[in-house]
Amino acid sequence: MAVMALSSFSMLISCQQNEKQSQDNPNGKPKYFDLPDYFQKEIDLLSKANPEIEKTVSKDDLEETKRLKIKDWELEFSSFKNIDLNKSAYAEFIQVDSANNVLQYSFNNPKSDLSCVRIEMDSLGQPKIISIQRDVVNNLYHTAEFLVYEKGKYYLVEKKQDVKVMGDNQYRVLGNF
């Protein structure tokens, strides 16, 4: 728990320290890392492997932990798969920084729902840890979302919603492989 909190804190700090770099878009391939494609491949692998995980679900002060096999990885990873850095809405607002096997995308548009996406690569250049910070604000609600996926170890989805009229809600899903 402390490791995840420290990870969250360090991500927030590092998302504020970026330099703009340009990226090429050769042959019509995605300009930035293709998160939907990556997570579809992970969904396919996990669906075939059918691993048993320890899943903890929390809502506000209630928490439950079970060992189980996920029946629908597509649904389980939908929050991750729906993040697409190559959406035209983000095109002019992404700042890219890379150092020490970490690729970081920060968003300099206050209206953007994404704040920061960090991808830590392993020694072979493959994604090892992906963390995503989202913040959606409109007249009806405010949702802050933090997603982390460490390949072969765990995934985390944390959401805090403040809905006018209905109040605050906090959700947390942690799956350990």
Side-chain angles (χ1 to χ4, degrees), residues 8-135:
S8 299
F9 178 73
S10 64
M11 179 182 161
L12 289 172
I13 296 299
S14 64
C15 284
Q16 297 170 358
Q17 304 168 348
N18 295 301
E19 297 174 24
K20 186 159 182 153
Q21 293 181 344
S22 64
Q23 294 277 325
D24 294 329
N25 190 1
N27 306 323
K29 291 182 181 177
K31 186 175 182 179
Y32 303 110
F33 188 85
D34 192 342
L35 287 168
D37 182 62
Y38 174 80
F39 281 107
Q40 185 59 57
K41 288 175 183 171
E42 290 300 295
I43 288 165
D44 294 344
L45 288 170
L46 290 166
S47 295
K48 287 178 186 172
N50 196 23
E52 185 174 80
I53 66 164
E54 181 179 275
K55 183 174 178 180
T56 301
V57 178
S58 307
K59 182 185 181 304
D60 300 322
D61 294 331
L62 302 173
E63 182 174 290
E64 183 177 0
T65 300
K66 289 184 178 180
R67 290 209 56 82
L68 53 93
K69 292 186 180 222
I70 301 298
K71 294 179 182 174
D72 187 349
W73 282 102
E74 188 86 31
L75 179 62
E76 194 75 7
F77 277 15
S78 63
S79 292
F80 292 94
K81 190 177 170 190
N82 288 333
I83 306 296
D84 187 354
L85 299 172
N86 293 292
K87 284 183 182 176
S88 59
Y90 302 136
E92 302 298 318
F93 304 106
I94 296 179
Q95 293 178 318
V96 182
D97 187 22
S98 78
N100 301 326
N101 292 329
V102 175
L103 184 59
Q104 182 169 291
Y105 301 95
S106 296
F107 301 81
N108 59 10
N109 180 354
K111 293 181 181 179
S112 174
D113 63 330
L114 287 175
S115 302
C116 187
V117 175
R118 293 186 81 226
I119 304 168
E120 183 180 332
M121 304 296 188
D122 64 16
S123 60
L124 301 174
Q126 298 299 310
K128 181 170 114 178
I129 302 172
I130 297 176
S131 58
I132 302 164
Q133 184 180 347
R134 294 182 68 207
D135 204 31

